[in-house]
């Protein structure tokens, strides 16, 4: 009966020192087998000469010889394993960039299936088999394949990093817990992993939330750009329409002006031509009579001469026109150009009024509800219950001197603040001789005397002495207005750095601060002026925008 083929398992041919297949296997007197190099180096570095397996001591170092039987068995096993590996390698995945390769494969690198934290080696399916079958290797810790396994060893103690120090938020080995991290909160890697993973999940949620907010901001900015582009196109279209109308008006007035001048000149030329033609006819008749008279003067026939003389009627010639009073004075064009320019100015004024009316309607779309803030009002001011009116009082009230209150100037701020976008409000200034209106930044000095200027944080216009309008710019700008405003509109474009004031009823632009740089909140600013008996007693009234 033929003997059954028998292929021993790989762990029978593993050196207990290097944990790899025997190379030049030798047998000690106690019967244990080792690689010749492994046992020699072990005894060279050890104080005692003993068997690493059973600890049997030898008085003298044994004379080691290669065990040919085991050597042949190892060779057969290695050949069989290589054949098996070559036959299965086609079934296994070849290592690709970005994957972890097997550290044992020498020719075609296969994809690693597991990494060993004890051996610090990654294995493909074939080379992993000893860790799954050999009892001495089954105790090794296997993980999913990773690169740089040395990073998983403690650099200080050369031990696996298998714990997590929550105190220092770092991975440690067993020796670290009794030395450098003693009394620290140390947990197994799995527990630390789960805790950190949960924290990472929350952090990831926050990151996703931040991403969403930023994406929404991007959409908001894109939407703003689209709106701005549409507004720019609309503004350009309106501007082209207006300037085209003005250009056509200029050309029309110019043509009318030229036609007027040329018409007058043509009339004079026609009149001159008529006079010249009439004079030429008279000259022709006179020349004819002169020729007849000359011919008659040469006649010697007495009868013929007398008869001809009577027919010429020289003594009573035919009457001619008295040309002494006839003249063509030079054309007078005084006032023609002026009248043309005046007419053009009237056209411009009409177009400008249309533009300003459209501008007022446009800014009124940004109307906001503004109320007065009593916490900022000077103690001398009187505010209405609805927070819409303010006037100067005769008595300084005792009020808390809170940080918001303005102490040295009888003015008040609005409750509402603005730090972006556009806003507009209207204030009735009817029957007043003194007032200030505009906006102020949040950081103005509320406890000192106020100086109105953009450098001081104020963008305002004012009325003094009933008819002196000024813009509190640097330097001060005197304003020449065609009419006294009864209601003033205040418009602010925060990003554009623009503050404009309008005469609402006249649809006229009073003044604009341009190129401003706003970096903080802006508040509506109101100064009703001193009461002066009853001369300036009317309140400033925040009016609803209609």
């Amino acid at each position: 009966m033929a003997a059954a083929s028998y292929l021993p398992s790989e762990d029978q041919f593993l050196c207990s020192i290097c944990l790899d297949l025997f190379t030049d296997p030798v047998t000690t007197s106690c019967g244990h087998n080792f690689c010749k190099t492994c046992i020699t180096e072990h005894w060279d570095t050890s104080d005692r000469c003993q068997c690493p397996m059973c600890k049997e001591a030898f008085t003298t170092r044994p004379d080691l010889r290669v065990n040919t039987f085991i050597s042949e068995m190892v060779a057969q096993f290695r050949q069989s394993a290589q054949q098996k590996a070559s036959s299965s390698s086609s079934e296994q995945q070849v290592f690709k960039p970005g994957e972890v390769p097997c550290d044992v494969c020498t020719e075609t690198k296969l994809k690693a299936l597991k990494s060993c934290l004890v051996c610090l080696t990654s294995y493909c399916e074939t080379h992993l088999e000893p860790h799954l079958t050999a009892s001495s290797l089954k105790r090794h810790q296997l993980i999913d394949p990773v690169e740089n396994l040395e990073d998983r060893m403690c650099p200080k103690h050369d031990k696996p990093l298998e714990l997590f120090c929550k105190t220092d938020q770092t991975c440690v080995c067993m020796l670290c817990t009794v030395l450098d991290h003693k009394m620290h909160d140390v947990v197994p890697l799995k527990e630390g992993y789960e805790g950190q993973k949960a924290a990472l999940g929350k952090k990831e949620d926050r990151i996703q939330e931040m991403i969403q907010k930023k994406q929404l901001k991007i959409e908001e900015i894109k939407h703003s750009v689209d709106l701005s582009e549409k507004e720019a196109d609309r503004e350009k279209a309106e501007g082209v329409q207006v300037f085209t109308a003005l250009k056509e008006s200029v050309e029309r007035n110019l043509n009318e002006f030229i036609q007027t001048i040329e018409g007058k000149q043509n009339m004079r030329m026609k009149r001159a031509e008529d006079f010249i033609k009439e004079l030429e006819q008279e000259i022709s008749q006179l020349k004819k009579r002169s020729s007849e008279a000359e011919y008659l003067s040469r006649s010697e026939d007495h009868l013929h001469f007398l008869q001809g003389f009577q027919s010429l009627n020289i003594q009573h010639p035919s009457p001619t026109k008295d040309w002494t009073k006839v003249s063509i004075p030079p054309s007078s064009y005084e006032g023609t150009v002026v009248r043309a320019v005046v007419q053009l100015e009237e056209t411009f004024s009409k177009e400008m009024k249309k533009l300003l009316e459209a501008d007022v309607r446009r800014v009124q779309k940004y109307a906001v509800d503004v109320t007065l803030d009593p916490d900022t009002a000077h103690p001398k001011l009187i505010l209405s219950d609805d927070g819409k009116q303010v006037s100067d009082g005769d008595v300084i009230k005792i009020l808390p001197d809170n940080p918001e209150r303005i102490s040295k100037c009888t003015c008040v701020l609005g409750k509402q603040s603005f730090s972006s976008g556009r806003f507009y409000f209207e204030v009735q200034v009817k029957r007043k001789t003194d007032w200030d209106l505009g906006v102020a930044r949040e950081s103005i000095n509320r406890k000192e005397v106020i100086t109105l200027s953009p450098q001081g944080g104020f963008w305002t216009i004012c009325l003094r002495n009933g008819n002196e309008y000024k813009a509190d710019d640097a330097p001060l700008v005197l304003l020449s207005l065609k009419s006294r405003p009864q209601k003033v509109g205040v418009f602010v474009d925060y990003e554009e750095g623009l503050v404009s004031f309008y005469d609402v009823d006249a649809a006229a632009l009073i003044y604009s601060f341009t190129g401003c740089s706003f970096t903080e909140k802006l508040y509506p600013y109101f100064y009703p002026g001193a009461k002066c008996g009853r001369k300036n007693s009317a309140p400033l009234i925040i009016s609803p925008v209609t």
Side-chain angles (χ1 to χ4, degrees):
M1 182 176 179
S5 61
Y6 171 72
L7 184 64
S9 62
E10 186 177 0
D11 58 346
Q12 292 177 281
F13 302 115
L14 295 179
C15 173
S16 59
I17 296 177
C18 67
L19 301 177
D20 205 349
L21 290 174
F22 289 124
T23 302
D24 296 333
V26 294
T27 306
T28 59
S29 58
C30 58
H32 293 114
N33 300 307
F34 307 96
C35 296
K36 185 175 182 180
T37 303
C38 293
I39 189 63
T40 301
E41 290 179 354
H42 176 71
W43 283 341
D44 288 343
T45 58
S46 178
D47 295 336
R48 301 179 63 187
C49 183
Q50 61 180 11
C51 175
M53 294 291 290
C54 64
K55 307 302 180 183
E56 179 180 343
F58 307 107
T59 54
T60 59
R61 180 179 294 193
D63 183 17
L64 300 175
R65 295 184 180 182
V66 176
N67 188 323
T68 56
F69 174 74
I70 296 177
S71 180
E72 291 174 358
M73 290 292 290
V74 170
Q76 292 177 7
F77 182 86
R78 182 177 283 110
Q79 183 178 1
S80 176
Q82 289 176 349
Q83 291 175 352
K84 184 178 178 182
S86 62
S87 63
S88 62
S89 62
S90 59
E91 301 175 1
Q92 298 182 50
Q93 294 183 2
V94 178
F95 157 70
K96 298 176 183 178
E99 296 177 339
V100 180
C102 175
D103 294 329
V104 182
C105 292
T106 55
E107 296 181 359
T108 302
K109 287 283 188 180
L110 299 181
K111 177 182 176 182
L113 189 64
K114 292 288 182 181
S115 294
C116 177
L117 294 179
V118 178
C119 303
L120 298 180
T121 305
S122 297
Y123 300 101
C124 64
E125 183 179 355
T126 301
H127 294 115
L128 180 64
E129 187 175 350
H131 279 75
L132 304 177
T133 57
S135 57
S136 59
L137 299 178
K138 285 182 179 180
R139 295 189 297 271
H140 290 193
Q141 185 178 355
L142 299 176
I143 61 172
D144 290 335
V146 293
E147 294 182 312
N148 302 322
L149 285 166
E150 295 81 3
D151 295 342
R152 295 178 172 268
M153 301 296 289
C154 177
K156 190 170 185 179
H157 305 114
D158 200 25
K159 298 290 182 182
L161 297 171
E162 48 191 359
L163 299 170
F164 180 72
C165 177
K166 296 173 70 175
T167 305
D168 293 339
Q169 292 290 298
T170 185
C171 297
V172 297
C173 69
M174 290 296 295
L175 281 177
C176 290
T177 61
V178 297
L179 296 174
D180 302 333
H181 296 264
K182 191 176 182 180
M183 305 301 293
H184 286 189
D185 186 5
V186 178
V187 297
L189 278 181
K190 183 178 180 181
E191 184 178 338
Y193 159 81
E194 291 173 349
Q196 294 295 80
K197 188 173 183 181
L200 180 63
K202 293 180 180 178
K203 186 174 182 179
E204 187 176 358
D205 291 341
R206 289 196 297 271
I207 291 174
Q208 290 299 325
E209 184 179 351
M210 292 171 64
I211 291 173
Q212 290 178 359
K213 287 183 178 179
K214 293 182 186 300
Q215 288 175 337
L216 288 175
K217 179 56 70 174
I218 289 175
E219 294 301 320
E220 179 185 332
I221 292 173
K222 287 182 178 178
H223 181 63
S224 298
V225 170
D226 291 340
L227 290 179
S228 178
E229 188 173 358
K230 290 179 181 178
E231 189 173 344
D233 291 340
R234 183 168 57 251
E235 195 73 16
K236 284 192 292 186
E238 291 179 0
V240 168
Q241 183 178 357
V242 170
F243 279 101
T244 301
L246 292 176
K247 179 182 176 183
E248 291 174 353
S249 178
V250 170
E251 291 176 349
R252 184 169 57 252
N253 284 17
L254 176 61
N255 291 333
E256 291 176 357
F257 169 72
I258 292 174
Q259 289 174 5
T260 300
I261 300 298
E262 291 179 346
K264 289 183 177 181
Q265 180 63 16
N266 290 335
M267 287 176 61
R268 282 165 174 76
M269 289 180 65
K270 178 68 169 58
R271 190 175 179 187
E273 289 174 356
D274 291 343
F275 285 160
I276 292 171
K277 186 176 181 180
E278 190 175 351
L279 285 167
E280 287 177 344
Q281 288 177 353
E282 291 186 2
I283 290 171
S284 177
Q285 292 177 359
L286 290 172
K287 284 183 177 180
K288 182 179 179 182
R289 291 172 65 86
S290 175
S291 297
E292 290 176 352
E294 184 182 358
Y295 173 74
L296 186 62
S297 67
R298 292 195 298 268
S299 176
E300 298 295 336
D301 188 341
H302 300 161
L303 178 63
H304 179 264
F305 178 84
L306 293 173
Q307 290 176 340
F309 183 81
Q310 291 177 353
S311 64
L312 286 175
N313 198 13
I314 294 176
Q315 293 179 345
H316 303 283
S318 59
T320 60
K321 190 173 184 176
D322 183 8
W323 292 95
T324 59
K325 296 180 180 180
V326 176
S327 67
I328 299 179
S331 299
S332 174
Y333 301 110
E334 285 79 2
T336 306
V337 177
V338 174
R339 286 192 297 273
V341 173
V342 168
Q343 186 177 353
L344 187 61
E345 185 180 11
E346 290 176 356
T347 303
F348 279 11
S349 297
K350 291 178 181 178
E351 293 297 330
M352 181 61 72
K353 186 172 179 60
K354 291 179 184 178
L355 284 175
L356 286 170
E357 288 174 350
D359 193 30
V360 170
R361 288 195 299 271
R362 185 171 63 251
V363 298
Q364 284 178 332
K365 293 188 298 184
Y366 301 100
V368 294
D369 184 21
V370 173
T371 54
L372 303 171
D373 185 0
D375 290 338
T376 66
H378 186 276
K380 195 177 178 183
L381 294 179
I382 299 174
L383 275 60
S384 62
D385 293 338
D386 62 359
K388 296 292 186 179
Q389 300 185 27
V390 57
S391 59
D392 183 50
D394 294 326
V395 180
I396 296 180
K397 300 183 292 293
I398 299 176
L399 297 173
D401 188 20
N402 48 288
E404 297 84 7
R405 192 172 307 284
I406 299 174
S407 303
K408 300 293 184 180
C409 178
T410 53
C411 56
V412 61
L413 301 180
K415 272 187 180 180
Q416 294 74 22
S417 64
F418 305 90
S419 56
S420 64
R422 303 166 183 171
F423 63 95
Y424 173 85
F425 60 95
E426 293 179 354
V427 181
Q428 180 179 304
V429 295
K430 197 173 181 180
R431 300 191 305 275
K432 293 196 66 63
T433 59
D434 287 77
W435 50 259
D436 293 343
L437 284 177
V439 292
R441 67 185 179 209
E442 185 177 29
S443 64
I444 58 171
N445 192 335
R446 308 186 185 203
K447 305 302 178 183
E448 299 294 335
V449 175
I450 287 177
T451 300
L452 297 178
S453 70
Q455 288 74 17
F458 297 88
W459 292 267
T460 59
I461 63 172
C462 67
L463 169 65
R464 294 291 182 269
N465 303 319
N467 58 3
E468 297 175 9
Y469 293 93
K470 304 173 184 177
D472 298 309
D473 209 336
L476 196 71
V477 179
L478 296 178
L479 304 175
S480 178
L481 306 184
K482 292 183 179 180
S483 60
R484 291 189 56 176
Q486 302 298 302
K487 187 184 292 184
V488 175
V490 183
F491 172 71
V492 177
D493 188 331
Y494 194 96
E495 283 75 20
E496 192 70 21
L498 173 69
V499 182
S500 294
F501 299 86
Y502 295 88
D503 181 340
V504 177
D505 298 324
L509 178 66
I510 298 174
Y511 188 77
S512 287
F513 292 88
T514 59
C516 309
S517 180
F518 302 130
T519 57
E520 10 174 322
K521 294 178 181 178
L522 296 179
Y523 289 85
Y525 173 86
F526 308 86
Y527 167 73
K531 195 172 184 180
C532 299
R534 297 194 58 82
K535 187 178 180 182
N536 191 42
S537 60
L540 288 176
I541 303 175
I542 302 172
S543 306
V545 177
T546 58

